[in-house]
Amino acid sequence: MRPERPTSGGNLRLGSPRRSWRRLAAALRILLSRPRAAAAIAAARLTGKRLRARQSFASLVGIDHRLALSPRLLNRFLPASEDLSPAFRLIGDGQLVAGASDRIEAAFAAHPDVQAIYGDALIQDRPGGPVLPLLPPVFDADRLVAFDYLGPVLAYRSTALDPGAEPVSPAEAAFRIAERFGSSAVGHLPEVLSVRRTVGEGAQNPHDAVARGHLDRTGRAETRLAFGADGLVQVLSPLPDPRPLASVIVPTRDRLDLLRPCLDSLRRCTDWPRLEILVCDNDSREPETLAYLCSLEDEGLGHVVPCPGPFNFAAMNNAAAARARGDLLVFVNNDVEAFRSDWLTLMAREALRPDVGAVGAKLLDGEGRIQHGGIVLGTGGLVTHGHRHFPGDAPGYLAALRVTHAVSAVTAACLVVAADKFRAVGGFDEAVFAVDFNDVDLCLRLNAAGFRTLLVPEAVLHHREAASRHWTPEARARHAREIAALKTRWGPLLVQDPHYHPGFDPDLSTHGRLQPGFPEAGRAPLRRPPA
């Protein structure tokens, strides 16, 4: 693996007109086979609702995502003629572009506590080949252990590392600086600072040893590393022995057609040895559902927690969590089904880490496409699910659908959190976010309490999203109130997600298209990991 290369799964590729025509023809065939959907897209476009039209089109035909730019673009980025002053050092195999040195030194001057800076890059792996834009998120040690996403160049203060320390790569320098000063000492400038035109043949990649060294120095010597055929590193945090009880909480109101396959799959496809299942029953009335719930308790297969009254998703989950005996709380929607037995083990490995709060899974929709790949703030007008509508086997941008990494929030359709951390922040806010955004709010409160939210893409389940939801005028009014409440409580964070690059267009599916004018859209402020 060449670690700085953007890993992507399908597009903005400029080139191959024949391929573009094939994609257009395929999209037209889909639209012609779905006349109602096509008419709705056309109506939205004609009435000026361009965002809705784009999102509906993406939902129908999926997202093709092979980010690349014209090779001619590199000619507009001249190499820098000046070096950094002696107060700073540069490490990496890329070439700074004109003006980058001034921008880096200005950022250091404006942020005295920042010890290292990396930026965006344009990478061309072979002469005349496509140019791959590298748009990294803020510093994320979990992602960096699995995949060296920082890019070809990192600048750092000459005093940031001990005398005589000679890091072998930008990743090692960043790890050591973060270990010494904290993650917020590593900043990201979201603009093109460097280019790399080719990768040297036979170049050795020391990243495995770099990742191992970081884990050993930070008290994670028992963490195992597994290596995939794609060169990505899977990090396997240790589990306690014996493993703690996990309480699986599933809210429902009737809909036995969803609940039965959900619970059957959880029992059949979960290799965690100690489980209790709690079903939150919100006034189910259908005889078959009531008989099924009785059989659950009679046969010792689960507990039923009565949750009468108006539907309040947050309150139902809180009620079950209060009765749960497990050290781990596993929130699962009744329209989710497990099909790989390791999903909970993978999520629990992260949720049991002292510095981790909520942990989410990769969810696939009924078409086998990505339904949830983390929650991205500030996109789609408010928040959206990362990589939505991408192919289910897509690696995602910068391996985001392959490796564990930090996100701002994850969906409660499948969310694991240690019970003591959940209770420490007061659980879901049932008074303000009865139905929508309670998961986003929970994750952001956990983040504010010092716990990071992680997505574990190797944990994969199916999710028939909103299969049991019915929109009424009352529901729409409540949804509007919850939108307003989310903006009031978390407004500044909703402007720009620190884990999502501002170079991407926020008005389509995430990672699906670059902002107009990128990569020459101007300068942006330094970004740092959340405190």
Side-chain angles (χ1 to χ4, degrees), residues 251-283:
T252 197
R253 176 191 288 172
D254 288 313
R255 291 308 303 261
L256 186 58
D257 60 317
L258 298 176
L259 181 64
R260 191 198 302 272
C262 170
L263 298 187
D264 287 349
S265 74
L266 295 179
R267 286 193 293 267
R268 184 181 66 254
C269 293
T270 306
D271 62 10
W272 194 259
R274 301 184 62 206
L275 288 178
E276 69 167 355
I277 293 178
L278 298 95
V279 177
C280 317
D281 177 33
N282 180 220
D283 291 332

Side-chain angles (χ1 to χ4, degrees), residues 190-331:
E191 60 180 275
V192 175
L193 297 181
S194 66
V195 299
R196 189 180 65 193
R197 292 182 180 272
T198 58
V199 176
E201 292 298 326
Q204 296 299 309
N205 174 20
H207 188 66
D208 303 346
V210 167
R212 180 76 266 167
H214 166 69
L215 294 173
D216 292 346
R217 292 191 301 270
T218 53
R220 300 181 65 190
E222 295 183 5
T223 299
R224 294 187 293 112
L225 300 180
F227 305 96
D230 52 9
L232 300 174
V233 179
Q234 184 182 22
V235 181
L236 301 173
S237 300
L239 289 167
D241 186 17
R243 297 186 187 182
L245 178 67
S247 299
V248 182
I249 296 171
V250 183
T252 197
R253 176 191 288 172
D254 288 313
R255 291 308 303 261
L256 186 58
D257 60 317
L258 298 176
L259 181 64
R260 191 198 302 272
C262 170
L263 298 187
D264 287 349
S265 74
L266 295 179
R267 286 193 293 267
R268 184 181 66 254
C269 293
T270 306
D271 62 10
W272 194 259
R274 301 184 62 206
L275 288 178
E276 69 167 355
I277 293 178
L278 298 95
V279 177
C280 317
D281 177 33
N282 180 220
D283 291 332
S284 292
R285 295 188 177 126
E286 295 175 359
E288 288 186 354
T289 304
L290 297 175
Y292 178 75
L293 294 176
C294 286
S295 70
L296 281 180
E297 294 204 313
D298 292 344
E299 298 173 19
L301 298 177
H303 307 286
V304 178
V305 180
C307 298
F311 180 75
N312 186 317
F313 179 86
M316 293 163 68
N317 279 303
N318 283 343
R323 287 188 49 178
R325 297 178 296 114
D327 293 329
L328 282 174
L329 301 178
V330 184
F331 298 100

Side-chain angles (χ1 to χ4, degrees), residues 48-118:
K49 299 176 181 178
R50 291 181 294 175
L51 172 58
R52 179 177 295 179
R54 292 172 189 159
Q55 293 174 332
S56 297
F57 183 79
S59 174
L60 188 63
V61 305
I63 297 289
D64 182 25
H65 176 229
R66 288 182 296 273
L67 287 167
L69 300 166
S70 167
R72 294 189 299 274
L73 182 70
L74 284 180
N75 296 330
R76 300 207 292 269
F77 286 86
L78 301 177
S81 59
E82 69 285 349
D83 295 325
L84 290 174
S85 69
F88 308 102
R89 294 184 180 179
L90 201 66
I91 184 171
D93 60 355
Q95 170 70 57
L96 289 183
V97 302
S101 298
D102 291 340
R103 285 286 295 129
I104 291 170
E105 294 199 21
F108 276 126
H111 302 275
D113 57 335
V114 168
Q115 302 295 319
I117 290 175
Y118 61 98

Side-chain angles (χ1 to χ4, degrees), residues 306-526:
C307 298
F311 180 75
N312 186 317
F313 179 86
M316 293 163 68
N317 279 303
N318 283 343
R323 287 188 49 178
R325 297 178 296 114
D327 293 329
L328 282 174
L329 301 178
V330 184
F331 298 100
V332 178
N333 277 14
N334 66 348
D335 52 4
V336 167
E337 295 180 24
F339 65 97
R340 282 176 38 175
S341 62
D342 61 351
W343 67 276
L344 182 51
T345 298
L346 291 166
M347 298 176 74
R349 286 185 185 277
E350 309 305 328
L352 290 169
R353 290 168 54 187
D355 61 331
V356 173
V359 174
K362 180 169 73 177
L363 302 179
L364 306 180
D365 65 17
E367 303 293 328
R369 300 176 306 195
I370 301 298
Q371 186 273 328
H372 171 262
I375 291 176
V376 181
L377 309 179
T379 55
L382 191 63
V383 301
T384 55
H385 287 187
H387 287 90
R388 188 163 187 172
H389 308 311
F390 281 64
D393 60 353
Y397 187 71
L398 290 179
L401 297 175
R402 293 277 175 84
V403 302
T404 296
H405 63 281
V407 292
S408 289
V410 292
T411 178
C414 184
L415 185 154
V416 179
V417 61
D420 58 346
K421 298 169 188 173
F422 179 81
R423 290 166 184 147
V425 298
F428 292 107
D429 189 338
E430 60 190 68
V432 177
F433 301 106
V435 178
D436 292 314
F437 310 118
N438 40 64
D439 44 13
V440 176
D441 176 71
L442 172 69
C443 292
L444 294 181
R445 284 187 286 114
L446 284 164
N447 296 349
F451 303 110
R452 294 179 305 116
T453 298
L454 296 182
L455 176 75
V456 181
E458 291 298 306
V460 191
L461 302 94
H462 289 298
H463 182 208
R464 290 187 279 179
E465 183 188 26
S468 56
R469 173 176 290 198
H470 301 286
W471 286 102
T472 64
E474 293 79 9
R476 294 188 185 280
R478 186 261 315 142
H479 180 66
R481 291 193 300 271
E482 290 171 344
I483 289 176
L486 188 71
K487 292 179 177 178
T488 298
R489 180 173 293 180
W490 301 109
L493 285 177
L494 301 178
V495 174
Q496 172 61 55
D497 192 315
H499 304 288
Y500 187 65
H501 196 286
F504 288 110
D505 189 333
D507 292 337
L508 192 61
S509 178
T510 68
H511 305 91
R513 182 169 56 193
L514 298 175
Q515 288 272 29
F518 181 88
E520 300 169 288
R523 299 176 177 180
L526 187 80

